[in-house]
């Protein structure tokens, strides 16, 4: 059995979603595709795929093996391109993910400049507020906001963002500028549900002892840009991340409140799976993006 060929076929089967689709993509008989995967499973002594009439699914062993197979194939591709003199010409497809608002405001402009600098690299950018599993979703690199769990991922810190309370000048003119947590609780609220768990906000006074307050919601929304817009319209005070309201603060339609009561800033990282030498396309993006995103985050700190 040619194990590298079998690895390539397994990857194509998973990416295509079926044996027959992989057969068409690779231009080889369906029976050959099935036999190669079966022989690979026999060689490993474990099942990699569960097959039903409707879909394929990776077993736990299959998930781990697929990730390793991708790394092996990428390393071989890198070695061949290096030997062919293409080491200094980054190329290929790069899959990225970022939170929706951060991705739209910051990651996408950086990707635009990156594409101009590296015309032989194409980028797929998935914007999602759900932390996607990099290996299962075939993602090369991700932007993560907040503390990172212990994992095998490699993280490069690019800055931090604040969690801020903001309100419009007209709301403050009508109700006064809050000075204490009780003052905040007396204001009408616009709750961005991600940052308002249980309808409450946690504030951190200068003495360092967090205080939970209940700010009555006049409006609850599921997207940060909706919360920023509603607060700008004077519906209520809201709590968002600093980059989400930076434009509104800059143009004066929102003001940041009670900065001495903000919790510790949240770190922002670029993360990728642990591996030896990074593929060229990932290495050049990491070098490019970490500097560009650091500059953008520093500008709104």
């Amino acid at each position: 059995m040619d194990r590298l060929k079998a690895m390539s076929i397994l990857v194509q089967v998973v990416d295509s979603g079926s044996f027959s689709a992989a057969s068409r993509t690779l231009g080889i008989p369906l029976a050959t595709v099935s036999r190669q995967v079966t022989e690979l499973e026999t060689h490993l002594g474990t099942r990699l795929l569960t097959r039903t009439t409707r879909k394929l699914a990776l077993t736990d062993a299959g998930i781990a093996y697929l990730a390793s197979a991708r790394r092996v194939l990428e390393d071989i591709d890198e070695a061949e391109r290096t030997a062919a003199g293409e080491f200094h010409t980054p190329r290929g497809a790069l899959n990225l993910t970022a939170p929706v608002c951060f991705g739209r405001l910051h990651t996408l402009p950086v990707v635009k400049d990156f594409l101009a600098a590296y015309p032989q690299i194409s980028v797929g950018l998935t914007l999602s507020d759900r932390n996607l599993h990099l290996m299962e979703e075939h993602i090369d690199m991700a932007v993560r906001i907040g503390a990172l769990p212990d994992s095998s991922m490699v993280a490069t810190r690019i800055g931090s963002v604040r969690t801020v309370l903001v309100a419009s000048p007209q709301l403050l003119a009508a109700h006064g500028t809050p000075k204490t947590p009780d003052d905040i609780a007396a204001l009408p609220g616009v709750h961005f549900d991600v940052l308002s768990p249980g309808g409450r906000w946690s504030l951190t006074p200068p003495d360092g002892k967090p205080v939970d307050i209940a700010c009555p919601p006049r409006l609850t929304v599921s997207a940060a840009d909706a919360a920023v817009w509603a607060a700008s319209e004077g519906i209520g005070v809201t709590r968002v991340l600093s980059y989400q309201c930076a434009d509104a603060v800059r143009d004066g339609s929102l003001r940041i409140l009670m900065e001495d009561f903000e919790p510790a800033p949240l770190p922002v990282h670029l993360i990728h799976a642990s591996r030896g030498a990074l593929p060229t396309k990932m290495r050049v993006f990491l070098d490019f993006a970490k500097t560009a995103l650091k500059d953008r985050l520093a500008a709104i700190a």
Side-chain angles (χ1 to χ4, degrees):
M1 178 185 61
D2 183 336
R3 274 186 280 171
L4 290 178
K5 180 179 179 182
M7 283 182 183
S8 299
I9 290 175
L10 174 68
V11 169
Q12 188 62 59
V13 167
V14 174
D15 289 348
S16 301
S18 71
F19 283 80
S20 56
S23 170
R24 290 191 296 270
T25 300
L26 294 170
I28 60 178
L30 175 59
T32 301
V33 173
S34 180
R35 185 180 68 254
Q36 287 283 330
V37 173
T38 299
E39 289 179 355
L40 183 60
E41 290 177 322
T42 301
H43 171 76
L44 296 171
T46 187
R47 180 66 63 88
L48 300 175
L49 296 168
T50 56
R51 306 159 174 84
T52 69
T53 56
R54 301 187 63 181
K55 66 175 185 178
L56 295 174
L58 286 163
T59 63
D60 289 343
I63 292 172
Y65 185 81
L66 181 70
S68 297
R70 288 187 189 280
R71 287 196 296 271
V72 168
L73 294 171
E74 286 175 355
D75 287 345
I76 291 172
D77 180 63
E78 184 80 4
E80 289 178 345
R81 287 192 287 116
T82 300
E86 298 179 359
F87 186 82
H88 297 294
T89 307
R91 63 185 64 193
L94 186 66
N95 293 319
L96 311 172
T97 185
V100 175
C101 186
F102 188 91
R104 180 173 55 82
L105 294 175
H106 296 292
T107 311
L108 191 55
V110 169
V111 167
K112 169 184 168 290
D113 293 340
F114 176 77
L115 291 174
Y118 294 95
Q120 296 190 56
I121 296 179
S122 61
V123 172
L125 176 60
T126 301
L127 300 181
S128 174
D129 289 328
R130 180 172 62 89
N131 284 346
L132 302 180
H133 190 287
L134 269 60
M135 288 184 289
E136 291 182 6
E137 303 285 346
H138 314 316
I139 291 170
D140 297 303
M141 200 167 296
V143 175
R144 290 282 190 266
I145 299 174
L148 296 174
D150 291 335
S151 74
S152 61
M153 293 290 161
V154 177
T156 301
R157 182 158 177 161
I158 56 174
S160 61
V161 295
R162 297 157 57 195
T163 305
V164 297
L165 290 167
V166 290
S168 67
Q170 59 266 40
L171 184 81
L172 299 177
H175 295 272
T177 300
K179 305 293 185 185
T180 70
D182 288 340
D183 294 338
I184 289 289
L187 294 175
V190 174
H191 283 194
F192 170 33
D193 55 11
V194 173
L195 294 181
S196 305
R200 306 181 72 84
W201 293 331
S202 179
L203 303 182
T204 306
D207 64 12
K209 297 179 180 177
V211 176
D212 281 348
I213 63 168
C215 181
R218 294 295 311 284
L219 176 66
T220 299
V221 296
S222 60
D225 55 354
V228 169
W229 180 87
S232 299
E233 292 295 307
I235 295 175
V237 60
T238 195
R239 188 179 217 189
V240 290
L241 298 179
S242 53
Y243 73 86
Q244 295 168 336
C245 64
D247 289 344
V249 170
R250 192 178 298 113
D251 67 24
S253 57
L254 287 177
R255 295 179 185 169
I256 296 177
L257 309 175
M258 299 180 63
E259 294 182 68
D260 290 342
F261 286 73
E262 290 178 12
L266 298 172
V268 184
H269 293 89
L270 282 169
I271 69 168
H272 61 83
S274 176
R275 61 178 75 198
L278 282 179
T280 306
K281 62 183 180 181
M282 290 179 62
R283 186 173 64 251
V284 294
F285 180 79
L286 182 60
D287 290 342
F288 187 98
K290 70 182 180 185
T291 300
L293 289 174
K294 277 181 180 179
D295 291 345
R296 296 181 73 92
L297 286 170
I300 59 172

Coordinates of all heavy atoms in Angstrom, one line a residue, residues 164-172 190 224-257 259:
V164 N -16.6 47.9 27.6 CA -17.0 49.2 27.9 C -18.5 49.4 28.0 O -19.3 48.7 27.3 CB -16.4 50.3 26.9 CG1 -14.9 50.2 27.0 CG2 -16.9 50.0 25.5
L165 N -18.9 50.4 28.9 CA -20.3 50.8 28.9 C -20.4 52.1 28.1 O -19.5 53.0 28.3 CB -20.7 51.1 30.4 CG -20.9 49.9 31.3 CD1 -21.0 50.3 32.7 CD2 -22.2 49.1 30.8
V166 N -21.4 52.3 27.3 CA -21.5 53.5 26.5 C -22.9 53.9 26.4 O -23.9 53.1 26.6 CB -21.0 53.2 25.0 CG1 -19.5 53.1 25.0 CG2 -21.7 52.0 24.4
A167 N -23.1 55.2 26.3 CA -24.4 55.8 26.1 C -24.3 57.0 25.3 O -23.3 57.6 25.1 CB -25.0 56.2 27.5
S168 N -25.5 57.4 24.7 CA -25.5 58.6 23.8 C -25.5 59.9 24.7 O -26.0 59.9 25.8 CB -26.8 58.5 22.9 OG -27.9 58.7 23.7
P169 N -25.1 61.0 24.1 CA -25.1 62.3 24.8 C -26.5 62.7 25.2 O -26.8 63.2 26.2 CB -24.5 63.3 23.8 CG -23.6 62.4 22.9 CD -24.3 61.1 22.8
Q170 N -27.5 62.4 24.3 CA -28.9 62.7 24.6 C -29.5 62.0 25.8 O -30.2 62.5 26.6 CB -29.8 62.6 23.4 CG -29.9 61.2 22.8 CD -29.0 61.0 21.6 OE1 -27.8 61.5 21.7 NE2 -29.4 60.3 20.6
L171 N -29.1 60.7 25.9 CA -29.5 59.9 27.1 C -28.9 60.5 28.4 O -29.5 60.6 29.4 CB -29.1 58.4 26.9 CG -29.6 57.5 28.1 CD1 -31.0 57.1 27.8 CD2 -28.7 56.2 28.1
L172 N -27.6 60.8 28.3 CA -26.9 61.4 29.5 C -27.5 62.7 29.8 O -27.5 63.1 31.0 CB -25.4 61.4 29.2 CG -24.7 60.1 28.9 CD1 -23.2 60.3 28.6 CD2 -24.9 59.2 30.1
V190 N -29.7 48.7 27.0 CA -29.8 47.9 25.7 C -28.8 46.7 25.9 O -27.6 46.9 26.1 CB -29.3 48.7 24.5 CG1 -29.2 47.8 23.3 CG2 -30.3 49.9 24.3
A224 N -23.7 42.9 18.1 CA -23.1 44.1 18.7 C -23.4 45.3 17.9 O -23.7 46.4 18.5 CB -21.6 43.9 18.7
D225 N -23.5 45.2 16.6 CA -23.7 46.5 15.8 C -25.2 47.0 16.1 O -25.4 48.2 16.1 CB -23.5 46.2 14.3 CG -24.3 45.1 13.7 OD1 -24.9 44.3 14.5 OD2 -24.2 44.9 12.5
A226 N -26.1 46.0 16.4 CA -27.4 46.5 16.7 C -27.5 47.2 18.1 O -28.2 48.2 18.3 CB -28.4 45.3 16.8
A227 N -26.7 46.7 19.0 CA -26.6 47.3 20.4 C -26.0 48.7 20.2 O -26.5 49.7 20.9 CB -25.8 46.4 21.3
V228 N -24.9 48.8 19.4 CA -24.3 50.1 19.3 C -25.2 51.1 18.6 O -25.4 52.3 19.0 CB -23.0 50.0 18.4 CG1 -22.5 51.3 18.0 CG2 -22.0 49.2 19.2
W229 N -26.0 50.7 17.6 CA -26.9 51.5 16.9 C -28.0 52.0 17.9 O -28.4 53.2 18.0 CB -27.5 50.8 15.7 CG -28.5 51.7 15.0 CD1 -28.3 52.6 14.0 CD2 -30.0 51.8 15.2 NE1 -29.4 53.2 13.6 CE2 -30.5 52.8 14.3 CE3 -30.8 51.1 16.1 CZ2 -31.8 53.1 14.3 CZ3 -32.2 51.5 16.1 CH2 -32.7 52.4 15.2
A230 N -28.6 51.1 18.6 CA -29.7 51.4 19.6 C -29.2 52.4 20.6 O -29.9 53.3 21.0 CB -30.2 50.1 20.2
A231 N -28.0 52.1 21.2 CA -27.5 53.1 22.2 C -27.2 54.4 21.6 O -27.5 55.5 22.2 CB -26.2 52.5 22.8
S232 N -26.8 54.5 20.3 CA -26.5 55.8 19.7 C -27.8 56.5 19.5 O -27.8 57.8 19.4 CB -25.8 55.6 18.3 OG -24.6 54.9 18.4
E233 N -28.9 55.8 19.3 CA -30.2 56.4 19.1 C -30.9 56.8 20.4 O -32.0 57.3 20.5 CB -31.2 55.4 18.4 CG -30.8 55.2 16.9 CD -30.9 56.4 16.1 OE1 -32.0 57.1 16.1 OE2 -29.9 56.8 15.4
G234 N -30.2 56.6 21.6 CA -30.7 57.0 22.9 C -31.6 56.1 23.6 O -32.3 56.5 24.5
I235 N -31.7 54.8 23.1 CA -32.7 53.9 23.7 C -32.2 53.5 25.1 O -33.0 53.3 26.0 CB -32.8 52.6 22.8 CG1 -33.5 53.0 21.5 CG2 -33.6 51.6 23.5 CD1 -33.6 51.9 20.5
G236 N -30.9 53.4 25.3 CA -30.4 53.0 26.6 C -28.9 52.9 26.6 O -28.2 53.1 25.6
V237 N -28.3 52.6 27.8 CA -26.9 52.4 27.9 C -26.6 50.9 27.5 O -27.5 50.1 27.7 CB -26.4 52.7 29.4 CG1 -27.2 51.8 30.3 CG2 -24.9 52.5 29.5
T238 N -25.5 50.7 26.9 CA -25.2 49.3 26.5 C -23.7 48.9 26.9 O -22.9 49.8 27.2 CB -25.4 49.1 25.0 OG1 -25.5 47.7 24.7 CG2 -24.3 49.7 24.1
R239 N -23.5 47.6 26.8 CA -22.1 47.2 27.1 C -21.6 46.3 25.9 O -22.3 45.4 25.5 CB -22.1 46.3 28.3 CG -20.7 45.9 28.8 CD -20.7 45.0 30.0 NE -19.6 45.3 30.9 CZ -19.3 44.6 32.0 NH1 -20.0 43.6 32.3 NH2 -18.3 45.0 32.7
V240 N -20.5 46.8 25.3 CA -19.9 46.1 24.1 C -18.4 46.1 24.3 O -17.9 46.7 25.3 CB -20.3 46.8 22.8 CG1 -21.8 46.7 22.5 CG2 -20.0 48.3 22.9
L241 N -17.7 45.5 23.3 CA -16.3 45.6 23.3 C -15.8 46.8 22.6 O -16.5 47.4 21.8 CB -15.7 44.3 22.6 CG -16.0 43.0 23.3 CD1 -15.5 41.8 22.5 CD2 -15.5 42.9 24.7
S242 N -14.7 47.3 23.0 CA -14.2 48.7 22.6 C -14.2 48.8 21.1 O -14.5 49.9 20.5 CB -12.9 49.0 23.2 OG -11.9 48.0 23.0
Y243 N -13.7 47.8 20.4 CA -13.6 47.9 18.9 C -15.0 48.0 18.3 O -15.1 48.5 17.2 CB -12.8 46.7 18.3 CG -13.5 45.4 18.3 CD1 -14.3 45.0 17.3 CD2 -13.3 44.5 19.4 CE1 -15.0 43.8 17.2 CE2 -14.0 43.3 19.3 CZ -14.8 42.9 18.3 OH -15.4 41.7 18.3
Q244 N -16.0 47.4 19.0 CA -17.4 47.4 18.4 C -18.0 48.8 18.3 O -18.9 49.0 17.5 CB -18.2 46.4 19.1 CG -17.7 44.9 19.0 CD -18.4 44.0 20.0 OE1 -18.9 44.4 21.0 NE2 -18.4 42.7 19.6
C245 N -17.6 49.6 19.3 CA -18.2 51.0 19.3 C -17.2 52.1 19.0 O -17.5 53.3 19.2 CB -18.8 51.2 20.7 SG -17.6 51.2 22.0
A246 N -16.0 51.7 18.5 CA -15.0 52.7 18.3 C -15.4 53.8 17.4 O -15.1 55.0 17.6 CB -13.7 52.0 17.8
D247 N -16.1 53.5 16.3 CA -16.5 54.5 15.3 C -17.5 55.5 15.9 O -17.4 56.7 15.7 CB -17.1 53.9 14.1 CG -16.0 53.2 13.2 OD1 -14.8 53.5 13.4 OD2 -16.4 52.4 12.3
A248 N -18.4 54.9 16.7 CA -19.5 55.7 17.3 C -18.9 56.6 18.4 O -19.3 57.8 18.6 CB -20.6 54.8 17.9
V249 N -17.9 56.1 19.1 CA -17.2 57.0 20.1 C -16.4 58.1 19.4 O -16.4 59.2 19.9 CB -16.3 56.1 21.0 CG1 -15.4 57.0 21.9 CG2 -17.1 55.2 21.9
R250 N -15.8 57.7 18.3 CA -15.0 58.7 17.6 C -15.8 59.8 17.0 O -15.4 61.0 17.1 CB -14.2 58.0 16.5 CG -13.1 58.8 15.8 CD -12.4 58.0 14.8 NE -11.7 56.8 15.4 CZ -12.0 55.5 15.1 NH1 -13.1 55.3 14.3 NH2 -11.4 54.5 15.7
D251 N -17.0 59.5 16.5 CA -17.8 60.6 15.9 C -18.7 61.3 17.0 O -19.5 62.2 16.6 CB -18.6 60.0 14.8 CG -19.7 59.0 15.1 OD1 -20.2 59.0 16.3 OD2 -20.1 58.2 14.3
G252 N -18.6 60.8 18.2 CA -19.4 61.6 19.3 C -20.8 61.1 19.5 O -21.5 61.6 20.4
S253 N -21.2 60.0 18.8 CA -22.6 59.6 19.0 C -22.7 58.7 20.3 O -23.8 58.4 20.7 CB -23.1 58.9 17.8 OG -22.3 57.8 17.4
L254 N -21.6 58.2 20.8 CA -21.6 57.5 22.1 C -20.4 58.0 22.9 O -19.4 58.4 22.4 CB -21.4 56.0 21.8 CG -22.6 55.2 21.3 CD1 -22.2 53.7 21.0 CD2 -23.8 55.3 22.2
R255 N -20.6 57.9 24.2 CA -19.6 58.2 25.2 C -19.3 57.0 26.1 O -20.2 56.4 26.5 CB -20.0 59.4 26.0 CG -20.1 60.7 25.2 CD -20.5 61.9 26.1 NE -20.8 63.1 25.4 CZ -21.4 64.2 25.9 NH1 -21.7 64.2 27.1 NH2 -21.6 65.2 25.1
I256 N -18.0 56.8 26.4 CA -17.7 55.7 27.3 C -17.9 56.2 28.7 O -17.5 57.3 29.1 CB -16.2 55.3 27.1 CG1 -16.0 54.7 25.7 CG2 -15.8 54.2 28.1 CD1 -14.6 54.3 25.3
L257 N -18.5 55.3 29.5 CA -18.9 55.6 30.9 C -18.0 54.8 31.9 O -17.6 53.7 31.6 CB -20.3 55.3 31.2 CG -21.3 55.9 30.2 CD1 -22.7 55.4 30.5 CD2 -21.3 57.4 30.2
E259 N -15.0 54.4 33.3 CA -13.8 53.7 32.8 C -13.1 53.1 34.0 O -12.4 52.0 33.8 CB -12.9 54.6 32.0 CG -13.5 55.1 30.7 CD -12.6 55.9 29.9 OE1 -11.6 55.4 29.4 OE2 -12.9 57.1 29.7

